[in-house]
Amino acid sequence: MKKINFILNGEKRQIYVEASDILLEVLRQKMGLTSPKCGCDNGDCGACTIILNGKSVRSCLIFAIEIDGMEILTVEGLSKNGMTPLQESLLTHNSFQCGYCAPGMILSATELLKVNPKPSVEEIKECIAGNLCRCTGYQPIIDAITDLTK
Amino acid sequence: MENYKYIGQSVQKIDGKEKVTGAALYTDDLEFGPDLLYAEIVESTHAHAFIKNIDTSRAEEIPDVLAVVTGKDFPFKFGLYMKDRFIFAQDRVRFYGEQVAAVIARTPKAAKLGAKNIRVNYQPIDAVIKQLDSIKEDAELLHPDLENYVHVPWFFPKDKTNIAHHRKIRKGDMDKAFSEADHIFEEQYEVPRYSHCAIEPHAAVAKFDLSGRLTVWASSQSPHTQRHIFAEALSFMGIRHNDVRVIAPHVGGGFGSKAGVTMEIIAAAIATKYPGHPIKIIWNREREFFNTYQRPGVITKLKMGVKNDGTITALKHELFWDAGAYVEYAANVVNAVGLSAMGPYKVDNVQIDSYCIYTNLPPTGPYRGFGYSEFLFGLESLITQVAHKLNIDPVKIRRINAIKEGDTLAYGAHMNPNGLHQCIDKVAKEIEWDKKESSPHKNKVIGKGFSLFWKAPAMPPNASSACFLKFNEDASINILVSGMDIGQGYLTVMAQIAGEILSINPNKIRVENPDTDRNPYEWQTVASHITWSCGNAVKNAALNAKNQILELVARCKYLPIDTLFLEDEKVKCTTKANFELDLKDFIITGLQMEDGTFKGGPIIASGTFMPQFTSTKANPETGQGGHPNVHYTVGAAALKLEIDTETGKMKILKAVEAIDGGKILNPSLAKGQIIGGLLQGISTVLYEDMRFDHRGKMLNPNFTDYKIPTALDIPDEIVPILVEVAQPDGPFGARGIGEHPMIPAAPMIANAIEDALGIRIKSMPITAEKLCLAILNSSKTNINNK
């Protein structure tokens, strides 16, 4: 067991982890944050996406021990002070159906809009191409993001 | 059309905020405390083998392993339509990956280690992998005691064969019709298996408490049906239905995979062997591919008689389904197709033989479209081929034959009101059917493809829905129903229906996923019937509540009830302009009379719905005489496809889909179904390609090797068109549309390829690789000029 320190959704946290503990499992089981989901455990589906030091990453592919000293943002943190304009837009467009991919999709798009507030449709598609959605055909998600760039 | 306040409006999803804030909880997100245990299964490593013995001793010695459960613990069958499954394999395994045993442990790691240490001794038997081999006389029987299996009365298994069900339709005079036809066309098509690929894998947690109460939390489309099957399967322990409680949180996608019962019964059963602790089972992505349901594969043989003018005189349709090792649900897919494989056409002479065939591949079952995508690939391909051969426009031949209200169906009943011809016209116009198009790029060609589609809900004739409705002090409402919102927006639409009748904004109505202890009965959320069926139950409950409210006001205020109405959370009167009573002032507390007493009380209402005109009683040799389907939803679709003739790569430049949903209750959600469903259909043609080895082991059970589309793979443009010919017995005239959007995708693409290249592909999928090889093999030299 090793002690790691990190910032989770703005709060300083300290926990003990095994070298083999996967970050996704630690977030869900030890930290009680359930918005990152497990869809494939293989880095394919993007449902476990979180923002680590400002960049979107797949938490199922990262060992918890690697994040010592880093900063993590999940959708719980993003929504702390109310919904962001992105979340509002996704809500009014009825963008999601089952919603399982939503947390990961939202974080990928959040990262994009931070570095590129006026992305083209192609840039939006490229950005969320790592987040699989089986319900929506993606178009209502793309529309909601595009609306924010107008 | 009536002027509605909430019906027909693109109301925001009532569970939308939960989903965009991460608040929505799915089964694996629920907290069960430090006593939660974990289970891991042991999988068969043969597609077909006898189990000689199972040695659990080494597993039992591993620290933190608490119990091992095998088939011996549960020696009885279960199944939805046909009891042909065991919870764990008994004397033999019938597919690669079948559950043989389970290990219950304190940690997931110990459970996995325990499962690895269970030794199963097998004696292999010949595995039957292909369905046409399985029906040969000398084929190894998968279920030698098939004749003893319990099944619904509309199934016809063939003893001492691998045919679990044979649905026959005989209508008209085939010999005469073929002899009178000017042309006869015969073709064969093949559609392989597919996987649902919901992003949330199956998950179940079960606790059998020390008082004998079984609670199961499951990602489910069918909480009440699961409760029923668990209670039936465990009845030997003295468990009654009300001892079993199924709680269904949010579902991360279903598409049929979470209907009926699959892995959830493992959780329910093993919990009874280790009472007092919640036990969790989560399927990994591999098992999600090969141990839930797959979509069955099919080989179809079609023979069509046609007049010179394009009129279809006869259709013979044989369907050989690869239904897998267990068909307790798939046999009803086969049945549904048997009833409907004449497609959305008026055909007076029809012969259909739909065979449900056991094979040593994973079990198949319901998948969005319920067999209709599969048979329409052949039928809609053939009709286009016929049109080309007779030199008739493919849209015109469809207009000539497309079914109309009152036409006779394959089983003898009559077609419901529908807007199929409107759909054809609107799609042809939007896709500019008459305009030939060419690509500005060298090596690229453009083709257009057209397809009709239809589908009826496939359900028992007495499948029913129920609703409880209760008011709160502020005139907000809680509605309790047991359908599942699997993303389609069902909860929102139920709020709209009640809101319309009670004149209360749907955002003041809470409708949530069910708990079978609290919420009334619902059969299952399948068959695109939930808006129609449960919508009627909610409508009846709301009408019941409205009647209670108006009756109370009439009695206490001495007003004729027929002058009272509800508007914006108030009771008003048509003859007294100044009269109004706020619901919140009396909906719980009652109305005070002049003498100080109160009348009334909390308004609670209920409503139920069951179709009372359906019947599966029919002649088994002809299929005539019953009324198995409640109605059909119809539509038309077309697309414009760009093909790179050097690589075979295809790009959909535009897709148009029109669907007649009766009264569309929420256009935003209906369009969402079209756009999402169409991509799921396109994916089965262009990307998904399931592979097995010769031993029946699935080779690509992951998203790296079994591709589903990303945001970069979508059509450039999708135009959804909503046609509204009311369903007379639907809530506000609505009928279901959930499954239908994906159905026409495959024939549409095959037809567009033929339009562009003159090449006809008769098997799915149609990947770039397959098309490229077909182009190379084609004798056509001038494809770029076509």
Side-chain angles (χ1 to χ4, degrees):
Chain A
M1 289 288 236
K2 184 181 183 267
K3 185 163 78 179
I4 57 167
N5 292 285
F6 60 103
I7 296 171
L8 178 58
N9 292 330
E11 186 188 341
K12 281 185 188 167
R13 303 295 295 265
Q14 187 178 76
I15 56 164
Y16 287 87
V17 295
E18 299 273 6
S20 60
D21 285 351
I22 301 294
L23 179 57
L24 173 62
E25 287 168 14
V26 168
L27 288 174
R28 289 179 58 84
Q29 287 160 21
K30 289 197 176 164
M31 315 310 288
L33 292 179
T34 55
S35 79
K37 312 287 186 203
C38 182
C40 69
D41 221 10
N42 201 32
D44 288 324
C45 77
C48 65
T49 302
I50 57 161
I51 292 185
L52 183 64
N53 281 1
K55 297 248 190 292
S56 66
V57 296
R58 278 136 211 261
S59 61
C60 78
L61 295 182
I62 293 173
F63 290 116
I65 209 161
E66 296 178 81
I67 63 151
D68 193 19
M70 296 189 183
E71 188 169 353
I72 289 176
L73 179 72
T74 69
V75 168
E76 287 89 342
L78 192 70
S79 315
K80 234 182 202 169
N81 302 312
M83 289 189 285
T84 62
L86 170 66
Q87 287 167 302
E88 294 274 6
S89 185
L90 291 160
L91 179 61
T92 54
H93 278 81
N94 282 333
S95 292
F96 293 111
Q97 290 186 26
C98 84
Y100 199 75
C101 72
M105 194 77 80
I106 288 168
L107 292 176
S108 293
T110 298
E111 182 197 19
L112 172 72
L113 292 169
K114 194 162 184 196
V115 296
N116 180 3
K118 305 252 173 228
S120 66
V121 169
E122 279 314 305
E123 286 169 326
I124 294 169
K125 286 183 182 176
E126 185 75 44
C127 156
I128 61 169
N131 296 86
L132 294 178
C133 167
R134 189 59 155 171
C135 300
T136 66
Y138 301 103
Q139 194 60 51
I141 298 167
I142 296 165
D143 290 345
I145 302 172
T146 306
D147 248 24
L148 290 171
T149 66
K150 282 175 186 162
Chain B
M1 202 52 97
E2 278 196 61
N3 205 4
Y4 297 123
K5 205 163 183 177
Y6 304 117
I7 293 296
Q9 304 298 315
S10 288
V11 168
Q12 187 175 297
K13 285 184 73 165
I14 62 174
D15 54 349
K17 195 170 177 183
E18 272 182 87
K19 288 176 174 173
V20 300
T21 57
L25 296 178
Y26 301 76
T27 300
D28 191 32
D29 300 338
L30 303 179
E31 189 60 62
F32 293 92
D35 191 36
L36 178 64
L37 306 180
Y38 300 84
E40 180 69 26
I41 62 157
V42 178
E43 297 175 323
S44 159
T45 51
H46 293 269
H48 206 185
F50 288 117
I51 298 173
K52 302 306 285 179
N53 64 65
I54 301 175
D55 178 4
T56 62
S57 57
R58 279 175 59 185
E60 280 160 358
E61 283 165 17
I62 290 170
D64 283 342
V65 166
L66 303 169
V68 178
V69 182
T70 69
K72 274 187 204 154
D73 296 298
F74 302 101
F76 38 75
K77 295 194 191 74
F78 75 95
L80 183 64
Y81 290 102
M82 179 177 213
K83 290 185 171 47
D84 71 347
R85 289 209 72 163
F86 291 96
I87 297 169
F88 294 97
Q90 301 287 305
D91 59 327
R92 66 158 91 186
V93 291
R94 294 181 178 86
F95 72 97
Y96 198 107
E98 180 169 3
Q99 64 271 19
V100 172
V103 175
I104 301 167
R106 185 54 69 187
T107 65
K109 231 176 239 175
K112 283 195 175 81
L113 190 61
K116 263 188 201 156
N117 278 283
I118 287 179
R119 296 283 171 264
V120 186
N121 186 7
Y122 296 101
Q123 180 192 329
I125 317 170
D126 280 348
V128 188
I129 305 297
K130 293 184 187 308
Q131 69 266 46
L132 294 185
D133 291 339
S134 185
I135 52 174
K136 286 179 181 162
E137 285 229 333
D138 59 345
E140 191 71 47
L141 292 184
L142 272 80
H143 294 264
D145 53 347
L146 176 61
E147 61 194 300
N148 300 321
Y149 288 5
V150 176
H151 57 79
V152 292
W154 62 90
F155 283 1
F156 304 101
K158 287 181 133 34
D159 300 345
K160 303 297 170 215
T161 74
N162 284 323
I163 297 174
H165 174 40
H166 177 192
R167 164 54 58 194
K168 285 187 198 176
I169 289 287
R170 301 288 182 271
K171 180 188 146 197
D173 185 337
M174 297 301 287
D175 292 341
K176 187 161 170 276
F178 278 121
S179 71
E180 286 172 5
D182 295 318
H183 309 271
I184 293 173
F185 300 95
E186 288 186 72
E187 288 285 5
Q188 180 172 320
Y189 303 88
E190 185 163 3
V191 181
R193 290 164 166 251
Y194 287 97
S195 175
H196 307 74
C197 298
I199 308 296
E200 179 206 25
H202 280 62
V205 180
K207 180 175 180 178
F208 187 60
D209 75 16
L210 298 173
S211 76
R213 172 110 242 241
L214 177 66
T215 305
V216 181
W217 294 260
S219 179
S220 171
Q221 294 176 235
S222 312
H224 275 86
T225 287
Q226 293 190 339
R227 183 184 70 161
H228 177 59
I229 292 177
F230 298 159
E232 267 196 332
L234 301 171
S235 60
F236 76 101
M237 301 174 66
I239 287 178
R240 293 186 305 256
H241 278 69
N242 68 353
D243 295 327
V244 183
R245 176 181 186 188
V246 176
I247 297 173
H250 283 292
V251 175
F255 315 110
S257 70
K258 292 165 184 164
V261 171
T262 60
M263 57 81 81
E264 307 81 13
I265 200 164
I266 298 174
I270 66 175
T272 66
K273 292 290 158 193
Y274 205 77
H277 308 264
I279 305 174
K280 181 183 276 192
I281 301 190
I282 304 287
W283 250 204
N284 59 25
R285 181 51 58 185
E286 281 199 2
R287 278 178 199 144
E288 194 62 24
F289 272 99
F290 58 67
N291 194 358
T292 60
Y293 294 121
Q294 294 183 343
R295 190 172 106 171
V298 71
I299 293 169
T300 62
K301 295 180 182 181
L302 286 118
K303 182 177 174 187
M304 187 182 280
V306 190
K307 292 274 195 195
N308 281 327
D309 66 0
T311 310
I312 301 168
T313 62
L315 177 69
K316 185 179 170 195
H317 204 159
E318 287 177 286
L319 304 108
F320 300 91
W321 295 91
D322 159 18
Y326 303 101
V327 304
E328 45 92 19
Y329 208 140
N332 211 44
V333 177
V334 172
N335 190 70
V337 170
L339 297 169
S340 301
M342 74 173 201
Y345 296 102
K346 179 183 183 295
V347 188
D348 293 333
N349 304 287
V350 182
Q351 176 175 334
I352 303 169
D353 290 279
S354 190
Y355 300 95
C356 180
I357 304 166
Y358 283 120
T359 60
N360 289 114
L361 291 180
T364 64
Y367 181 118
R368 190 180 201 171
F370 214 68
Y372 287 68
S373 301
E374 295 92 305
F375 85 76
L376 277 164
F377 174 63
L379 185 61
E380 284 297 302
S381 294
L382 178 60
I383 285 176
T384 303
Q385 291 168 262
V386 169
H388 289 152
K389 287 195 174 133
L390 298 184
N391 210 18
I392 299 174
D393 179 82
V395 171
K396 190 179 169 199
I397 199 169
R398 289 177 167 87
R399 282 199 181 103
I400 290 168
N401 293 291
I403 201 161
K404 292 181 177 146
E405 180 182 355
D407 285 344
T408 308
L409 298 163
Y411 48 81
H414 298 284
M415 182 62 184
N416 51 279
N418 71 88
L420 182 55
H421 287 261
Q422 277 187 56
C423 290
I424 297 172
D425 293 344
K426 286 181 187 228
V427 169
K429 189 174 172 217
E430 180 63 36
I431 202 75
E432 298 177 293
W433 181 253
D434 296 325
K435 191 172 144 197
K436 287 285 156 203
E437 294 183 44
S438 57
S439 172
H441 307 286
K442 192 171 159 270
N443 301 327
K444 285 186 182 169
V445 292
I446 291 175
K448 290 180 184 174
F450 206 96
S451 176
L452 305 189
F453 58 95
W454 78 342
K455 187 190 172 292
M459 49 191 221
N462 53 348
S464 60
S465 299
C467 169
F468 293 149
L469 183 154
K470 52 179 189 165
F471 272 95
N472 303 307
E473 292 84 340
D474 60 353
S476 67
I477 295 174
N478 289 71
I479 287 177
L480 285 80
V481 284
S482 291
M484 290 303 302
D485 202 311
I486 53 174
Q488 79 283 47
Y490 152 77
L491 300 178
T492 306
V493 168
M494 294 304 114
Q496 286 177 257
I497 289 171
E500 185 68 42
I501 291 166
L502 296 167
S503 197
I504 291 178
N505 193 315
N507 69 21
K508 277 192 81 171
I509 302 175
R510 193 171 273 278
V511 199
E512 292 177 327
N513 287 323
D515 165 347
T516 56
D517 258 22
R518 314 280 179 260
N519 297 38
Y521 182 81
E522 173 62 54
W523 172 58
Q524 302 190 84
T525 300
V526 298
S528 307
H529 89 304
I530 201 82
T531 294
W532 174 79
S533 178
C534 193
N536 274 326
V538 171
K539 184 183 122 190
N540 290 337
L543 288 171
N544 176 263
K546 179 180 172 181
N547 191 50
Q548 290 183 45
I549 294 165
L550 299 186
E551 194 275 332
L552 176 68
V553 174
R555 178 156 59 92
C556 299
K557 299 294 175 185
Y558 311 110
L559 291 165
I561 194 166
D562 57 5
T563 65
L564 298 174
F565 63 99
L566 294 171
E567 191 174 274
D568 297 333
E569 301 178 32
K570 293 178 174 68
V571 178
K572 296 185 179 178
C573 178
T574 52
T575 55
K576 291 189 169 188
N578 293 332
F579 179 85
E580 60 175 52
L581 280 176
D582 279 332
L583 291 185
K584 65 175 164 40
D585 291 338
F586 72 93
I587 203 79
I588 296 289
T589 51
L591 280 169
Q592 192 168 27
M593 307 300 284
E594 280 187 11
D595 66 358
T597 60
F598 286 84
K599 306 291 176 209
I603 298 292
I604 54 171
S606 66
T608 64
F609 176 75
M610 186 171 81
Q612 306 210 14
F613 56 91
T614 38
S615 165
T616 54
K617 274 197 168 179
N619 181 335
E621 293 306 314
T622 65
Q624 304 299 310
H627 196 312
N629 290 336
V630 291
H631 54 252
Y632 287 85
T633 296
V634 298
L639 56 70
K640 191 159 79 174
L641 185 73
E642 184 187 68
I643 303 166
D644 183 325
T645 55
E646 289 195 324
T647 63
K649 200 154 191 283
M650 290 162 272
K651 186 173 174 50
I652 295 165
L653 304 177
K654 180 172 181 173
V656 184
E657 185 164 50
I659 186 163
D660 176 9
K663 176 64 189 169
I664 298 291
L665 303 180
N666 185 321
S668 160
L669 299 181
K671 287 177 183 171
Q673 286 305 297
I674 293 180
I675 292 167
L678 194 52
L679 186 66
Q680 194 171 7
I682 289 166
S683 176
T684 62
V685 200
L686 301 183
Y687 307 118
E688 296 174 44
D689 192 354
M690 188 178 287
R691 301 290 177 98
F692 293 91
D693 70 10
H694 66 284
R695 296 172 305 153
K697 181 185 181 188
M698 188 179 168
L699 295 172
N700 55 343
N702 58 69
F703 289 143
T704 311
D705 302 312
Y706 184 99
K707 293 286 185 198
I708 63 170
T710 73
L712 290 166
D713 304 313
I714 65 175
D716 285 355
E717 185 187 8
I718 294 181
V719 181
I721 297 173
L722 302 171
V723 169
E724 299 185 84
V725 175
Q727 179 62 34
D729 57 5
F732 298 96
R735 69 173 82 81
I737 61 155
E739 294 167 276
H740 307 73
M742 79 176 284
I743 296 174
M748 213 169 31
I749 290 174
N751 291 341
I753 290 169
E754 189 181 54
D755 182 49
L757 297 168
I759 294 171
R760 171 56 61 178
I761 310 264
K762 296 176 198 166
S763 66
M764 286 172 67
I766 309 178
T767 57
E769 181 189 13
K770 187 190 265 185
L771 182 57
C772 188
L773 289 170
I775 292 169
L776 287 172
N777 291 333
S778 163
S779 59
K780 295 209 175 279
T781 51
N782 59 343
I783 45 176
N784 287 324
N785 302 325
K786 176 85 173 90

